[in-house]
């Protein structure tokens, strides 16, 4: 009977250690960068700014969703519909 309790304690400690490692090493990130483009465009729309930006740092916009705009700046290559809906949420204060 004592062996049974010992294995339960070891199993519980192993699960607790695993959970601790998972919580301590959690990184709130994602591998897909498209949401960054949508959020960037939505924030620009919510602020009433033009969708393209001229940035002196040419290496800042290196992800696959950036394209050159006709005004010499850069913007995201996505259609503005979803970003406009997100911009409405930003204006209402529903999004951070």
């Amino acid at each position: 009977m004592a062996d049974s309790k010992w294995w339960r304690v070891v199993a519980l400690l192993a699960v607790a250690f695993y959970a601790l490692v998972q919580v301590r090493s959690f990184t709130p990130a994602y591998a897909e960068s498209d949401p960054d483009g949508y959020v960037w465009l939505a924030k620009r729309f919510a602020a009433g700014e033009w969708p393209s930006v001229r940035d002196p740092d040419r290496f800042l916009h290196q992800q696959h969703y950036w394209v050159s705009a006709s005004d010499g700046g850069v913007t995201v290559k996505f259609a503005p519909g979803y970003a406009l809906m997100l911009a409405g949420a930003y204006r209402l204060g529903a999004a951070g």
Side-chain angles (χ1 to χ4, degrees):
M1 195 65 152
D3 289 337
S4 170
K5 289 182 182 179
W6 185 80
W7 282 108
R8 287 182 186 171
V9 170
V10 169
L12 182 63
L13 288 175
V15 170
F17 177 73
Y18 176 76
L20 177 69
V21 168
Q22 292 299 318
V23 168
R24 300 269 307 166
S25 63
F26 176 73
T27 304
Y30 45 87
E32 182 56 47
S33 58
D34 286 356
D36 293 338
Y38 283 113
V39 169
W40 180 86
L41 189 57
K43 286 182 178 182
R44 292 198 58 87
F45 284 150
E49 298 174 346
W50 192 251
S52 67
V53 64
R54 289 185 182 190
D55 198 326
D57 186 0
R58 300 176 62 90
F59 298 102
L60 182 63
H61 308 287
Q62 294 294 315
Q63 296 290 340
H64 69 276
Y65 52 82
W66 294 105
V67 293
S68 296
S70 60
D71 63 356
V74 294
T75 190
V76 292
K77 66 179 179 180
F78 306 123
Y82 183 58
L84 284 170
M85 289 186 347
L86 289 176
Y90 277 110
R91 294 294 290 177
L92 292 173

